[in-house]
């Protein structure tokens, strides 16, 4: 059974940093591109970062470039999203996703940034 479990969210103040973690099981993690998405309150889910299976290539959406860092540890079946200099507009649920099997999502982890 494919499973993705996110953790690391919380309530933080603007300017602080967080590292989100997504631990995978049930599939060949090292062969999968992995994405992080976020969903702000009242908005749709948006892709924020992607990392290739080896970790050699990463892509960010423009609005997070320079503050978000996606990385992975294939030995631990884990993908990370470090968020620096958090802003209130970063508030939302953060999800990891594998495109395998038509796309599998985790349950998400909540990030709330206070000003």
């Amino acid at each position: 059974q494919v499973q993705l479990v996110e953790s690391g969210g919380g309530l933080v103040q603007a300017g602080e940093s967080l590292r989100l973690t997504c631990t995978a099981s049930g599939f060949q993690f090292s062969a999968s591109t992995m994405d992080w998405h976020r969903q702000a309150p009242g908005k749709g889910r948006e892709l924020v970062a992607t990392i290739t299976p080896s970790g050699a290539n990463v892509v960010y959406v423009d609005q997070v470039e320079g503050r978000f860092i996606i990385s992975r540890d294939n030995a631990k079946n884990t993908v990370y999203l470090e968020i620096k200099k958090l802003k209130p507009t970063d508030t939302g649920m953060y999800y990891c996703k594998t495109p395998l099997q038509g796309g599998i999502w985790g349950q998400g982890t909540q990030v709330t940034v206070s000003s």
Side-chain angles (χ1 to χ4, degrees):
Q1 179 183 359
V2 175
Q3 190 173 18
L4 298 170
V5 179
E6 300 95 333
S7 62
L11 174 61
V12 296
Q13 292 194 340
E16 294 182 341
S17 298
L18 276 178
R19 190 175 77 159
L20 309 182
T21 298
C22 169
T23 302
S25 60
F27 64 101
Q28 190 175 358
F29 178 80
S30 61
S32 177
T33 294
M34 295 297 299
D35 303 329
W36 279 98
H37 298 246
R38 71 179 174 188
Q39 186 167 17
K43 296 188 177 181
R45 204 171 290 188
E46 62 171 347
L47 174 67
V48 295
T50 297
I51 187 166
T52 54
S54 70
N57 297 101
V58 297
V59 178
Y60 302 99
V61 296
D62 288 345
Q63 57 264 41
V64 307
E65 184 82 48
R67 292 195 303 117
F68 285 32
I69 301 173
I70 187 171
S71 62
R72 66 192 295 159
D73 184 339
N74 286 342
K76 296 181 178 180
N77 284 2
T78 299
V79 60
Y80 305 98
L81 185 68
E82 182 179 5
I83 310 173
K84 299 181 177 181
K85 299 179 180 178
L86 278 151
K87 303 177 181 180
T89 51
D90 293 322
T91 293
M93 285 290 287
Y94 284 73
Y95 301 89
C96 63
K97 178 191 173 188
T98 170
L100 298 180
Q101 299 188 20
I104 303 293
W105 298 83
Q107 84 290 347
T109 187
Q110 176 69 39
V111 174
T112 303
V113 185
S114 63
S115 57

